[in-house]
Amino acid sequence: MSSTSTGGAAPPDTSDTSGDGTIVDKVLAPAATPGTTRPSGGRTITEKILARAGGLDDVRAGQNHPFRPDHMVAYDFPGYTDLMFKQMHDDFGITEVDDPERYLVFIDHMLSNGDGREQEVHDVTRRWGDFYGIEVHEGRGIGHQVAAELGYALPGKFLIHFDGHISGLGAFGALGWGVRRDLLEAWVSGQIFLDVPASTRFHLTGTFAPGVDNRDLVHEIIARVGADGCAHQVMEFTGPGAEAMSIGRRQGLCGMAMFTGAVSAIFAPDDLALDYARRVARTEFEPLYSDPDAVYAATHAIDLDELRPRVVLPGSARAANTLGVDEAAGTPITKAFIGSCASGRIEDIRAAAEVLRGRRVAPGVQLNVVPTSQVIHRQAEEEGLLDVLRDAGADIAISSCDFCFGYAKPLQDGENCISTGVLNISGRMGSTGADIYMGSAYTVAASAVAGHIADPREVVA
Amino acid sequence: MSTASAVPDVLRGRVAWIFGDDFDVDLIIGVENIKYYDPDKLRAVCMRAFDPEFADRVEPGDVVVGGRNFGYGHPHYPPLVALRNLGISAVLAESFSPGFWRGETYNGMPLVTVPGIAAAVRRFDPVEVDWRRASVRLPDGTELAGDPPSDRTVKVLEAGGSLNLLLREHARRAPAGAEG
């Protein structure tokens, strides 16, 4: 359906800064102060994507400029899209759009109750799509995943959303930026003013040990750099550990960028990402890469071999709440959840099946599994993984956001849940009187079997 | 320019409250209330967990002060609607979480990044804030200088929020009720 280009510079060899065998942060480059003039030095992939989107030869961190997103993404949600639809039409007098392909709307929230209220919200969205000739993607799964499956998240592209987890599209070498209600600015003007972000590089070596995955990595990073360690920046993942990581793991990692204060996260589009992109691409694309002498605010070296499973205590993902699984082990649970835009991909379901094969979810525990998209659901079914999960006593739900953001109200007062959702603040999953712990799919599955928070390495190692 | 600004050139008020680092704004009204926009409801719950008398003690023009990374998490809009309803005119913080910063700048709330502010003030200190310069005059007359906003952000705040600025720049017909 489209031709692709692999023009532009080849991925730089960044293997010269491998880790030292520890996961202790190591600053490898002098910090640059965002906002200061940087007359020399190469550009990051983020700066290059924004330069292209801004119609400029060059941009530098700190520069404020209007940028034209390739796609302006949203999911329908009351108080957000319904209001923005009305503003676009009534306040701005926009009765047609020149480029409906740039508008990308998903119906992925509020799918599980089937009541009149949710139909009302979705009807507004459907009518809006019909009116402007904008395709509305309904019920295919979580939009941050489906955008990739539908060929919108292509290397070098710039996408915005009101929701910050759009950063997951950085797995493909695209820049996905959550701009909140400023999405309206792009809807009505075609562009959005942004401050060009500096980048912090995370140079990864090694591979994940059995029972450890990208969720453990992102919580390790938050614990190391702090909840604002990459504030207003982009996290850029490089090195052999990044190249060895599967696309799904990259998506999950990038999707959690906001919890370091980052506005996005990105990988260089290597053969793995390019192969995926060529298979699904809706439009032409040209990958971009950071220059070998690109200037970073900081670089941290992380050896994936050294990672251990992490558990986040109820409240938020901040460093003080992030423990090794051994420190939280034994905490009783009644609910367990695998899903969300960060952790319901095929790798997570395989991880759960690895743990649950031949085992049973503990009495008194309910394990809900939500594949991130219908495509992933089908793949998991074909691989026999969902049968393994069902045999173990897990419940499989349709692909949506409803468990993670609490619409499905999976939790009651007094319950403890271990979750792969993106957030564990009070009330997130339906009850302000319940506690939510976070961990990887391995940890959630192992905990569901044990009836309390448990170390998955005891099962899968 | 300044006469047309929705935000006075210099904000004068007291420090109504000082929050810590990584503060989740949902706590201002309690997570059980983050879907409410009703002014009476928000007034009844605003800052209850911190100072039950806050709503009676705050004065129009007061500011709140935050530590590093103010607005961390998934910041919802009602908490700042509640503070604004009580007269809070600005947030001064060591730094802001990007999502919170963008969302509340859209709403026209001056968010002033001033490193050192959390330790430099006490509750009810009077302060003067030149938000365009990110400069805060403290009770002893000294000034703390922060990070000034971009020209675009200045325009957004002068317009009283992004929507107003966009309407001026891009409305293809006069929106009902926007003039006069």
Side-chain angles (χ1 to χ4, degrees):
Chain A
M1 120 190 281
S2 63
S3 64
T4 62
S5 166
T6 54
D13 178 12
T14 52
S15 60
D16 60 330
T17 49
S18 58
D20 59 4
T22 74
I23 51 172
V24 175
D25 293 340
K26 191 168 77 171
V27 175
L28 299 175
T33 304
T36 57
T37 301
R38 178 160 58 75
S40 62
R43 294 296 184 253
T44 64
I45 181 173
T46 296
E47 289 167 324
K48 291 183 179 183
I49 290 172
L50 287 177
R52 180 192 282 167
L56 301 170
D57 292 335
D58 188 25
V59 299
R60 62 175 187 271
Q63 185 174 347
N64 184 270
H65 188 80
F67 300 98
R68 184 182 189 277
D70 293 292
H71 298 289
M72 304 170 290
V73 196
Y75 49 74
D76 74 341
F77 203 80
Y80 283 76
T81 38
D82 51 356
L83 175 62
M84 291 168 58
F85 296 155
K86 191 170 179 350
Q87 289 169 328
M88 186 175 168
H89 183 274
D90 295 357
D91 295 343
F92 290 91
I94 295 172
T95 54
E96 59 183 321
V97 296
D98 296 333
D99 40 15
E101 184 77 2
R102 289 176 69 207
Y103 295 76
L104 186 53
V105 179
F106 295 98
I107 295 180
D108 58 8
H109 285 65
M110 299 179 296
L111 292 170
S112 54
N113 285 359
D115 62 17
R117 167 82 173 128
E118 70 183 36
Q119 285 309 317
E120 202 175 300
V121 171
H122 301 329
D123 278 345
V124 169
T125 304
R126 294 173 189 127
R127 285 198 298 272
W128 181 81
D130 287 345
F131 184 83
Y132 290 106
I134 291 166
E135 190 175 0
V136 173
H137 303 280
E138 179 170 354
R140 291 171 175 255
I142 300 174
H144 302 310
Q145 165 67 25
V146 180
E149 295 171 354
L150 293 177
Y152 292 103
L154 301 171
K157 297 288 187 184
F158 173 45
L159 305 96
I160 62 171
H161 194 305
F162 60 75
D163 183 292
H165 297 298
I166 189 76
S167 59
L169 301 182
F172 304 93
L175 182 66
W177 191 323
V179 298
R180 308 204 70 202
R181 291 195 195 274
D182 279 329
L183 181 63
L184 181 68
E185 179 182 348
W187 274 12
V188 303
S189 74
Q191 62 184 21
I192 182 165
F193 280 84
L194 296 167
D195 293 326
V196 176
S199 295
T200 284
R201 187 159 64 119
F202 293 87
H203 192 78
L204 310 180
T205 56
T207 54
F208 292 120
V212 177
D213 72 15
N214 50 290
R215 282 303 290 253
D216 301 305
L217 172 58
V218 77
H219 293 303
E220 176 74 28
I221 288 172
I222 297 165
R224 293 280 172 180
V225 306
D228 63 349
C230 301
H232 303 272
Q233 297 181 8
V234 171
M235 305 170 77
E236 185 175 324
F237 296 100
T238 64
E243 290 163 14
M245 203 178 298
S246 71
I247 289 292
R249 295 248 178 268
R250 297 179 194 185
Q251 287 177 277
L253 178 61
C254 290
M256 295 289 282
M258 70 167 73
F259 299 110
T260 65
V263 295
S264 196
I266 199 163
F267 281 68
D270 59 6
D271 286 344
L272 194 62
L274 291 170
D275 287 347
Y276 185 108
R278 291 189 190 106
R279 204 167 60 241
V280 299
R282 288 202 169 214
T283 60
E284 293 186 359
F285 65 91
E286 182 181 359
L288 292 167
Y289 298 93
S290 293
D291 292 327
D293 62 342
V295 177
Y296 294 91
T299 295
H300 303 285
I302 297 179
D303 183 350
L304 302 182
D305 288 313
E306 299 295 323
L307 293 177
R308 56 186 170 140
R310 286 292 203 168
V311 167
V312 180
L313 300 178
S316 79
R318 75 190 66 178
N321 280 348
T322 304
L323 308 177
V325 65
D326 50 315
E327 298 170 272
T331 304
I333 57 156
T334 51
K335 292 282 170 62
F337 168 68
I338 294 171
S340 84
C341 54
S343 295
R345 295 193 170 78
I346 195 67
E347 294 90 339
D348 302 296
I349 298 171
R350 288 177 186 146
E354 189 179 347
V355 171
L356 292 170
R357 192 180 302 275
R359 298 186 175 87
R360 291 284 303 174
V361 172
V365 175
Q366 182 181 20
L367 170 61
N368 291 302
V369 178
V370 181
T372 303
S373 72
Q374 286 187 342
V375 169
I376 292 169
H377 191 123
R378 276 197 298 275
Q379 185 180 353
E381 199 76 88
E382 288 165 8
E383 291 185 17
L385 304 173
L386 297 186
D387 283 338
V388 173
L389 270 53
R390 290 188 196 101
D391 288 346
D395 293 322
I396 315 296
I398 64 163
S399 302
S400 82
C401 306
D402 290 354
F403 277 87
C404 180
F405 92 98
Y407 181 74
K409 296 194 184 313
L411 301 189
Q412 307 297 316
D413 287 357
E415 286 199 296
N416 281 351
C417 177
I418 180 133
S419 165
T420 67
V422 296
L423 196 64
N424 63 337
I425 59 170
S426 171
R428 175 71 179 178
M429 295 177 75
S431 165
T432 55
D435 280 333
I436 306 168
Y437 297 77
M438 291 195 297
S440 72
Y442 285 116
T443 300
V444 171
S447 302
V449 169
H452 53 77
I453 293 176
D455 189 336
R457 293 172 299 184
E458 295 169 6
V459 181
V460 301
Chain B
M1 178 179 71
S2 60
T3 53
S5 175
V7 183
D9 292 347
V10 177
L11 300 164
R12 294 183 179 82
R14 306 169 309 160
V15 175
W17 194 261
I18 303 168
F19 296 102
D21 293 344
D22 299 328
F23 181 70
D24 177 350
V25 298
D26 288 353
L27 302 176
I28 289 171
I29 55 174
V31 289
E32 63 276 21
N33 299 308
I34 56 174
K35 293 176 183 169
Y36 293 102
Y37 281 86
D38 175 64
D40 293 334
K41 170 76 174 178
L42 291 178
R43 180 182 174 85
V45 299
C46 185
M47 295 295 287
R48 277 297 166 120
F50 300 94
D51 176 3
E53 297 176 5
F54 184 89
D56 296 322
R57 299 170 79 172
V58 70
E59 295 175 1
D62 281 357
V63 301
V64 295
V65 169
R68 282 175 48 156
N69 204 27
F70 187 87
Y72 179 63
H74 279 204
H76 299 89
Y77 292 103
L80 268 288
V81 172
L83 285 183
R84 192 194 305 261
N85 288 349
L86 293 177
I88 294 296
S89 63
V91 184
L92 322 178
E94 304 277 337
S95 63
F96 291 93
S97 177
F100 174 83
W101 180 86
R102 184 159 283 279
E104 293 304 329
T105 299
Y106 177 95
N107 290 335
M109 174 66 98
L111 307 177
V112 189
T113 304
V114 191
I117 188 69
V121 294
R122 288 184 297 184
R123 195 179 182 200
F124 297 127
D125 276 355
V127 291
E128 289 184 6
V129 182
D130 181 339
W131 58 273
R132 287 188 188 82
R133 293 173 49 234
S135 167
V136 180
R137 183 174 293 278
L138 302 173
D140 65 2
T142 62
E143 275 197 12
L144 269 184
D147 304 329
S150 70
D151 292 345
R152 181 67 183 179
T153 300
V154 169
K155 282 187 181 177
V156 168
L157 295 176
E158 286 177 342
S162 290
L163 179 60
N164 289 341
L165 180 60
L166 289 175
L167 285 169
R168 286 181 198 170
E169 293 177 338
H170 298 288
R172 296 182 188 180
R173 67 180 181 218
E179 303 295 335

